[in-house]
Amino acid sequence: MTHPIVAELGQMLPEGGLVTDPDRLAPRLLDARKRMQGQALCMALPGSTAEAAAIIARCRAHGVAVVPQGGNTSLVGGATPMRPDSVLLTSDRLNRIRQIDPVGYTATVEAGCILDDIRTAADQAGRLFPLWLGASGSARLGGLIGTNAGGLQVQRYGNTRDLVLGIEAVLPDGQVFNGLRALRKRNAGYDLKQLFIGAEGTLGFVTAATLRLFPAERGEATALVALPDVDAVLALFTAARESVGEVLTAFEMIDRHALALMARHYPVVPQPFAEIPPCSVLIALTGSESDTVLNERLAALLLDHGLEDAALAQDGKQTQALWRLRELIPSAQTKEGPSIKHDLALPISAIADFMAESTALLAARLPAAKPVVFGHVGDGNLHYNLSLPASEDFAAAEALANRLLFDLVAQYGGDISAEHGIGRLRIAAADAWHDPVERALMQQLKQLFDPAGLFNPGVLVADAKAPRTPPTSGD
Amino acid sequence: MTHPIVAELGQMLPEGGLVTDPDRLAPRLLDARKRMQGQALCMALPGSTAEAAAIIARCRAHGVAVVPQGGNTSLVGGATPMRPDSVLLTSDRLNRIRQIDPVGYTATVEAGCILDDIRTAADQAGRLFPLWLGASGSARLGGLIGTNAGGLQVQRYGNTRDLVLGIEAVLPDGQVFNGLRALRKRNAGYDLKQLFIGAEGTLGFVTAATLRLFPAERGEATALVALPDVDAVLALFTAARESVGEVLTAFEMIDRHALALMARHYPVVPQPFAEIPPCSVLIALTGSESDTVLNERLAALLLDHGLEDAALAQDGKQTQALWRLRELIPSAQTKEGPSIKHDLALPISAIADFMAESTALLAARLPAAKPVVFGHVGDGNLHYNLSLPASEDFAAAEALANRLLFDLVAQYGGDISAEHGIGRLRIAAADAWHDPVERALMQQLKQLFDPAGLFNPGVLVADAKAPRTPPTSGD
């Protein structure tokens, strides 16, 4: 017995607009970290905003859940349908670049466009779309907006929120919110588009956005710098902002354990230091100046700061090699064995103290776990991952690690997620660690937009009516 | 008979916390443009977040309206209480700089701090708070947040929204929303603080914010460039972004009529051109490089672009003189006589066409009005003011000008306010020109936060229950 919504959508949608074949559905029902096996009645693929609105209106009429999905790259299960009566709503066919405006420095793009394709289209118009992250080849714009994606160039260009000027979305009741503006400045009402950014598809289905573009970069300079400790990392960050702030594009910390994992699992990627330093920083300058000028400015920064142990990339190949040292860390950690992943947000000036205290705490309470810490220190965002021997009880270790780290991060004024989001994986943790006034407001907003609770249920916002549960191993 | 809330607040608040003296109230009840005469039972001045919460809870219990006010610099009557049963809630005593964090590049500041004082405090810590506008000496942070203030450096540093990391606010029900985070990146729930930015005090009373700081600027270069038309202005803007994008701080257009008004009313401010050009652009570069380097880069940009008619400031005094030419325009226009003010938002690439079409339209339909256009062209924001002979019927001319310009701005994908806001002055226009889905969502949000409709009633959001009126002379 198939649900009547399936036949109805089949009649309504054109060829290619509906998938029911279990083999084609399967990869879209398993989350990217392979921790959650979802289920759905079917997958609907609207080809236009009007089709998306019609699908959503029908699902609402049937009381069927709608789960938006982009490139299925969520690390927190934010796009995996779990209720059997779900329609998976994907943006695959909403893949048009509607307009590139090189004078206004904007691009209007549909939600199903893959990030690399948006970057390429901007580049062909002599412009830069600066969002750049590990999943650039598969993440789609709708998902990037839903998670307010960050990535590797936030220091210079901001998060996705900072890059979105306008949004078009279908609301849970099937109405179209037309906020597709190309305005750099507007002060004429509540900025409603902000609600859809970082909402993980719980308030509506984003169909298109108008994005900010930037001038194409003419030059770059990249270095990996060896530093004795996290205090030295922060001192260099402060100096870098002062001396080259406007061309400082990336400032990525890599700890000793991360480079050690790279040496073990990716010996082919050259490491510039004779001995692995306690901390390294990958620092990148880009901008309208030439490679030569930027290299001189970077060298002057390091010299003024008394830093001699640094590898400055001499050409594009060396630049790529330095970036590979940073980008392959998650993969090296996967090769090493099980790991507990965290994506912590911290005030930048608290990072050194937090690192010292958390390292001591974990050594005392969870000695089997080895912290491998890297990430966007210039954005106050640490990927604080714990490698665990296969013999350990993963669920118990994860529950303990979460409790220890989330308590500590809260003490330092941080938060449990900087860029990965809450999804399903962290929903109980968010519910437990967040302020009750804020939690209540979130639930009321959710209720306002989606009174039937049919839009990505079980993601981001804990059900107001359900009893509050303490966070368990899944958090 | 005084209202019982007055006595109650008087008992509750310390010395200096309540003002009932009509002479002290008077200047706070008249709006900055002297178009609206307000009234209020009293003015309450909380000295802490807890006091603000207590005041708001009492007002709610009494069913009394609460009108937040900062420096009373609103150009659209956004902070003027009109209902007789209003308590004017001012931030004057919430004036502490709570913390400056030079490593994290943040400042936590109370809502009553004056913008210039925040800029000074940041400067003393070697940091820059880049928000800068005409009312810097009197505007207070709460009002700047409530209107998502823009100003003169948006091109480089963004609007107030881009500068706010965290917000603390008292909700209309007296609860405190504690979103005072110093996080550059956070993806752990709806970004609720966005709702208070640009909300003109209709969703709560902002008591403090954590702001982004930037490195202090080391060098600057400033020029006034003569250009034949608006197309040439946009071509220079495109070239400037490409060649000096990351140090391009301001790009301000001034039309012929604005410079002519300056020559007439401020002959003491030197004008660099032998003959007033059709368009001028004030272009400013600032950053970590020296004056010398920035001047060379600016000169090279103008030379590459074939622009010979340009005045490059040779020292700080000349820089100030160029800025005065821009900053005194509104004052010169006031000296000239009555003027109809507009603060239009446009896609940057539409500005030239919009200027041509609007000029022709006004010449045909409202020939008595002389457009004086200037503003933040790099942000897509034109102050499109119409000087009117004193003999004209101002109200009729304003109503017609608004209708013509708002219709046209809508056709070009723009909006009726870029930075001044809606307030009371534009509320019927916003109601008439905005999308009904967006309007309904705004009303629902207002209802969610302020079900009794007591928070800054009559500002920004049209009452959902009132009949929709066509915009009249007041819009």
Side-chain angles (χ1 to χ4, degrees):
Chain A
M1 275 292 286
T2 52
H3 194 288
I5 186 75
V6 179
E8 215 170 294
L9 293 179
Q11 287 188 328
M12 206 174 84
L13 291 167
E15 178 86 23
L18 191 74
V19 169
T20 53
D21 173 2
D23 288 345
R24 285 188 59 201
L25 273 175
R28 308 297 290 256
L29 298 176
L30 183 65
D31 81 300
R33 288 180 65 195
K34 300 185 171 48
R35 291 181 71 151
M36 296 176 203
Q37 177 57 58
Q39 52 187 329
L41 300 168
C42 61
M43 174 164 81
L45 303 86
S48 66
T49 306
E51 275 183 20
I55 294 166
I56 289 166
R58 293 319 304 151
C59 288
R60 182 173 167 118
H62 281 281
V64 158
V66 173
V67 176
Q69 186 180 92
N72 197 20
T73 62
S74 172
L75 297 175
V76 290
T80 306
M82 300 302 279
R83 280 171 47 168
D85 61 332
S86 296
V87 168
L88 185 65
L89 184 65
T90 67
S91 59
D92 302 31
R93 288 178 64 236
L94 288 166
N95 55 3
R96 282 170 291 268
I97 307 272
R98 291 191 192 165
Q99 193 200 19
I100 303 261
D101 174 353
V103 175
Y105 281 82
T106 61
T108 299
V109 172
E110 291 184 345
C113 291
I114 288 172
L115 176 51
D116 270 349
D117 296 337
I118 302 172
R119 288 173 53 87
T120 301
D123 189 59
Q124 285 166 356
R127 299 292 175 254
L128 170 74
F129 183 60
L131 192 63
W132 182 41
L133 36 81
S136 290
S138 50
R140 294 176 192 268
L141 179 62
L144 295 163
I145 290 172
T147 58
N148 184 24
L152 296 160
Q153 303 195 140
V154 172
Q155 171 58 35
R156 168 76 163 278
Y157 295 104
N159 298 295
T160 297
R161 187 180 303 281
D162 303 298
L163 303 173
V164 172
L165 293 176
I167 279 183
E168 179 190 84
V170 181
L171 303 176
D173 64 4
Q175 287 195 92
V176 176
F177 167 73
N178 183 4
L180 212 50
R181 300 184 176 94
L183 302 176
R184 181 72 188 84
K185 228 176 180 180
R186 173 183 178 261
N187 190 26
Y190 304 143
D191 193 1
L192 298 172
K193 71 168 182 287
Q194 302 290 348
L195 287 171
F196 301 98
I197 304 170
E200 302 188 6
T202 59
L203 300 181
F205 180 69
V206 173
T207 50
T210 299
L211 306 172
R212 287 180 71 185
L213 301 180
F214 292 81
E217 290 166 341
R218 290 183 182 167
E220 63 177 353
T222 311
L224 193 73
V225 187
L227 293 163
D229 53 36
V230 181
D231 281 320
V233 170
L234 292 179
L236 177 59
F237 175 66
T238 303
R241 288 212 66 183
E242 287 175 354
S243 69
V244 292
E246 61 273 78
V247 288
L248 179 63
T249 300
F251 193 91
E252 297 282 312
M253 183 174 75
I254 308 173
D255 81 351
R256 180 201 304 269
H257 306 294
L259 278 192
L261 285 184
M262 283 299 297
R264 188 173 319 147
H265 298 291
Y266 287 102
V268 66
V269 181
Q271 298 222 2
F273 305 118
E275 204 170 322
I276 293 180
C279 287
S280 323
V281 165
L282 195 161
I283 180 166
L285 312 188
T286 62
S288 63
E289 292 168 304
S290 67
D291 288 355
T292 310
V293 170
L294 291 174
N295 271 310
E296 278 168 10
R297 295 185 70 182
L298 181 52
L301 162 69
L302 300 179
L303 201 66
D304 290 351
H305 213 63
L307 294 172
E308 285 166 25
D309 212 359
L312 270 83
Q314 301 300 313
D315 54 34
K317 204 178 144 197
Q318 289 185 10
T319 301
Q320 278 195 358
L322 292 183
W323 272 108
R324 272 213 299 280
L325 272 181
R326 163 65 184 83
E327 288 176 319
L328 288 171
I329 296 168
S331 170
Q333 195 163 21
T334 303
K335 287 175 188 261
E336 179 76 2
S339 68
I340 304 165
K341 290 183 191 295
H342 294 104
D343 166 49
L344 305 178
L346 285 160
I348 291 165
S349 53
I351 287 177
D353 288 347
F354 175 84
M355 286 290 289
E357 195 170 343
S358 60
T359 308
L361 186 69
L362 288 166
R365 301 284 307 276
L366 194 56
K370 191 165 69 179
V372 175
V373 183
F374 59 96
H376 323 292
V377 75
D379 318 324
N381 178 195
L382 297 181
H383 296 308
Y384 199 112
N385 295 345
L386 303 171
S387 273
L388 213 63
S391 56
E392 284 290 309
D393 176 345
F394 186 87
E398 187 177 44
L400 178 58
N402 288 359
R403 202 146 47 234
L404 295 174
L405 286 172
F406 294 167
D407 276 348
L408 198 60
V409 92
Q411 284 171 38
Y412 279 96
D415 212 323
I416 64 172
S417 178
E419 61 180 3
H420 293 174
I422 298 300
R424 297 181 181 281
L425 190 67
R426 302 260 183 248
I427 194 164
D431 198 43
W433 268 278
H434 282 162
D435 179 78
V437 173
E438 187 154 19
R439 189 171 53 231
L441 275 177
M442 280 185 55
Q443 286 168 335
Q444 288 162 18
L445 272 175
K446 170 69 175 171
Q447 173 75 16
L448 174 63
F449 276 76
D450 181 24
L454 293 174
F455 238 75
N456 216 3
V459 165
L460 187 59
V461 193
D463 187 341
K465 284 158 255 158
R468 288 186 56 205
T469 49
T472 58
S473 63
D475 312 305
Chain B
M1 275 291 289
T2 52
H3 194 288
I5 186 75
V6 179
E8 214 169 295
L9 293 179
Q11 287 189 328
M12 206 175 83
L13 291 167
E15 178 86 23
L18 191 74
V19 169
T20 54
D21 175 0
D23 288 346
R24 285 188 61 202
L25 273 175
R28 308 298 290 257
L29 297 177
L30 182 67
D31 81 300
R33 288 181 65 194
K34 301 187 170 48
R35 291 180 72 150
M36 296 177 202
Q37 178 57 58
Q39 51 186 330
L41 299 169
C42 60
M43 175 164 80
L45 303 87
S48 66
T49 306
E51 274 182 20
I55 294 165
I56 289 166
R58 292 320 302 151
C59 288
R60 182 173 168 119
H62 281 281
V64 158
V66 174
V67 176
Q69 187 181 91
N72 196 20
T73 62
S74 172
L75 297 175
V76 290
T80 306
M82 301 301 279
R83 279 171 50 168
D85 61 333
S86 297
V87 168
L88 185 64
L89 183 64
T90 66
S91 58
D92 302 31
R93 287 178 64 235
L94 289 166
N95 57 3
R96 282 170 291 269
I97 306 270
R98 291 191 191 164
Q99 193 201 18
I100 302 260
D101 175 352
V103 174
Y105 281 82
T106 61
T108 299
V109 172
E110 290 184 347
C113 290
I114 289 173
L115 176 51
D116 270 349
D117 296 338
I118 301 172
R119 288 173 53 88
T120 301
D123 188 59
Q124 285 166 355
R127 298 292 175 253
L128 171 73
F129 182 59
L131 192 63
W132 183 41
L133 36 81
S136 290
S138 50
R140 295 177 191 268
L141 179 61
L144 296 163
I145 290 172
T147 58
N148 184 24
L152 296 160
Q153 303 196 138
V154 172
Q155 171 58 36
R156 169 76 164 277
Y157 295 105
N159 299 295
T160 298
R161 187 180 301 282
D162 303 297
L163 303 174
V164 172
L165 293 176
I167 279 183
E168 178 189 84
V170 181
L171 303 176
D173 64 3
Q175 286 196 93
V176 176
F177 167 73
N178 183 3
L180 212 51
R181 299 184 176 94
L183 303 176
R184 182 70 189 83
K185 226 176 181 181
R186 174 184 177 261
N187 190 27
Y190 305 143
D191 193 3
L192 299 173
K193 71 169 180 288
Q194 303 291 348
L195 288 171
F196 301 99
I197 304 171
E200 303 188 5
T202 60
L203 300 181
F205 180 69
V206 172
T207 49
T210 298
L211 305 171
R212 287 180 71 185
L213 302 180
F214 291 81
E217 290 167 341
R218 289 182 183 167
E220 63 178 352
T222 311
L224 192 73
V225 188
L227 293 163
D229 53 35
V230 181
D231 281 319
V233 170
L234 292 178
L236 178 60
F237 175 67
T238 304
R241 288 211 66 183
E242 286 175 354
S243 70
V244 292
E246 60 273 78
V247 288
L248 179 63
T249 300
F251 192 93
E252 297 282 313
M253 183 173 77
I254 308 173
D255 81 352
R256 179 201 305 269
H257 307 293
L259 278 193
L261 285 185
M262 284 299 297
R264 188 173 319 148
H265 299 290
Y266 287 103
V268 65
V269 182
Q271 297 222 3
F273 306 119
E275 203 171 321
I276 292 180
C279 287
S280 324
V281 164
L282 195 160
I283 179 166
L285 312 187
T286 62
S288 63
E289 292 168 304
S290 67
D291 288 354
T292 310
V293 170
L294 291 173
N295 271 310
E296 280 168 9
R297 295 186 70 181
L298 181 52
L301 163 69
L302 299 179
L303 200 66
D304 290 350
H305 213 62
L307 294 172
E308 284 165 25
D309 212 359
L312 269 84
Q314 301 301 313
D315 54 34
K317 203 177 145 198
Q318 289 185 10
T319 300
Q320 277 193 359
L322 292 182
W323 271 109
R324 271 211 302 278
L325 272 181
R326 163 65 184 83
E327 288 175 319
L328 288 171
I329 297 168
S331 170
Q333 195 161 21
T334 302
K335 287 173 189 262
E336 179 76 3
S339 69
I340 303 165
K341 290 183 190 295
H342 294 105
D343 165 49
L344 306 177
L346 285 160
I348 291 165
S349 52
I351 287 177
D353 289 346
F354 174 84
M355 285 289 291
E357 195 169 344
S358 60
T359 308
L361 185 69
L362 288 165
R365 301 284 306 277
L366 193 56
K370 191 166 70 180
V372 175
V373 182
F374 59 96
H376 323 292
V377 75
D379 318 326
N381 177 194
L382 297 182
H383 295 309
Y384 199 113
N385 295 346
L386 303 172
S387 273
L388 212 63
S391 56
E392 284 290 308
D393 177 345
F394 186 86
E398 186 177 46
L400 178 58
N402 288 359
R403 201 147 46 236
L404 295 174
L405 286 172
F406 294 167
D407 275 348
L408 197 60
V409 92
Q411 283 171 37
Y412 279 96
D415 212 323
I416 63 172
S417 177
E419 60 179 7
H420 292 174
I422 298 300
R424 297 181 181 282
L425 189 68
R426 303 259 182 248
I427 193 162
D431 198 41
W433 268 278
H434 282 161
D435 180 77
V437 173
E438 187 154 19
R439 190 170 54 230
L441 275 177
M442 280 184 57
Q443 286 167 334
Q444 288 161 17
L445 272 175
K446 170 70 175 171
Q447 173 75 17
L448 174 64
F449 276 76
D450 181 24
L454 294 174
F455 238 76
N456 216 2
V459 165
L460 187 59
V461 193
D463 187 339
K465 282 157 257 160
R468 288 186 55 203
T469 49
T472 58
S473 62
D475 313 307

